[in-house]
Amino acid sequence: MQLSGDLLSQLAKFGHIYLYDEVNSTQIQARKLAKEFLNNEHDGIQAIVIANQQSQGLGRFGRKWYSPENGLYFSLLVNFAHNKTPLTLLTLYTGKIIADVIEELTSIPIYLKWPNDLVYIDNNYSFYKIGGILSETIGKTFLKPKPDKKTMIIGIGLNINQTNFPDDLPEATSLKLISLKTKQKETNFNQAEILYKILNRLSESLFNCTNQSHTDILQEIKRKSSVIGKRVKVSQRFKTLTGTAIDIDEQGRLILRTEIGRIISLDAGEVSSIRQ
Ligand code: BTN
């Protein structure tokens, strides 16, 4: 990613910037910084760790996140004061804001796939993953934020200008590949511009979660959600459930009506579509 000096100095208004050409994982680096920023008096984004590529990018469920050049990889260290918004809801809201920014900048419609994926959906209702979010709350370890504070690391990986992916990632795609497929146009998207706009929007909106009611946030999330009303398969660590995703509740949980009509709420899982 080419970040000009000019843009770098503009990014600094959002927080302390740590920029690497290559690093193991921005998430790992952000964890190391957590102690330093944990009890900062001011809320909002504290530090932003950005990498051009990652050698050990972390995904959910202990998976690796494929992180070659031409993508966008960053982790935000964030403090919330008195924030009672559940982690899943904050992750979904972050995803919604990112989807909006990408759509505005590229005209490519991007949706949320509960709980943390950013996807493009083709005419056959197949999901193609263009990004993912890895959220963690600091406090379960020896690092303890003040009781009235919530400190999080939000790791964001976006596939921007990559032109190929390994065979074991059949659902992965990039903005460039989507643009080639749908517009027959080879576009090189500007990672720095996307990063700048995302940070700008997150710093304006994410912290409004404390003021804005959860109901409003939830409505926005639901409008961007690709799964509500659809038949889905949800894979969890020890079981797989199938049914219709009927709602997302105020905790950010997915409400599923199973094939035998039972209504259950799910905290976590990996959703895939079933041919409708
Ligand atoms: C997922 O599994 O979908 C979440 C992927 C999150 C990847 C990002 S890239 C920036 C940050 N650093 C990491 O090592 N992981 C997250």
Side-chain angles (χ1 to χ4, degrees), residues 10 27 42 48 55 62 65 68 88 104 110 112 115 144 177 188 204 206-207 228 231 259-261 272 276:
Q10 288 187 50
Q27 203 78 358
H42 79 279
I48 305 149
S55 54
W65 181 256
T88 320
E104 282 162 31
I110 299 295
L112 288 175
K144 292 261 177 281
L177 287 172
N188 249 328
E204 277 168 7
L206 196 55
F207 305 94
I228 296 177
R231 289 192 64 223
E259 316 262 85
I260 57 161
S272 42
Q276 305 298 309

Side-chain angles (χ1 to χ4, degrees), residues 24-28 31 49 51 54 56-67 72-76 116-118 129 131-136 153-158 270:
N24 50 2
S25 152
T26 58
Q27 203 78 358
I28 294 174
R31 286 177 195 156
V49 187
Q54 303 180 109
Q56 287 172 44
L58 304 177
R60 286 202 311 150
F61 307 118
R63 291 190 200 127
K64 270 195 88 171
W65 181 256
Y66 180 61
S67 314
L72 183 52
Y73 316 106
F74 59 104
S75 296
L76 309 174
N116 77 326
D117 288 348
L118 290 154
K129 185 156 168 170
I133 303 173
L134 185 66
S135 305
E136 329 176 354
I153 298 175
I154 307 176
I156 298 162
L158 298 173
E270 176 101 340

Side-chain angles (χ1 to χ4, degrees), residues 120-128 181:
Y120 170 76
I121 303 173
D122 74 3
N123 295 338
N124 299 322
Y125 195 66
S126 296
F127 296 133
Y128 292 92
K181 198 166 148 194

Side-chain angles (χ1 to χ4, degrees), residues 86 88-89 92 114 214-215 217-219 221-222 228 246-256 264-267:
T88 320
L89 207 59
L92 284 164
W114 182 93
H214 289 180
T215 323
I217 293 168
L218 199 53
Q219 287 316 319
I221 290 168
K222 286 188 201 175
I228 296 177
I246 53 173
D247 205 358
I248 295 173
D249 73 8
E250 69 289 341
Q251 298 291 313
R253 291 177 299 209
L254 186 71
I255 311 297
L256 189 77
I264 46 178
S265 43
L266 304 172
D267 286 315

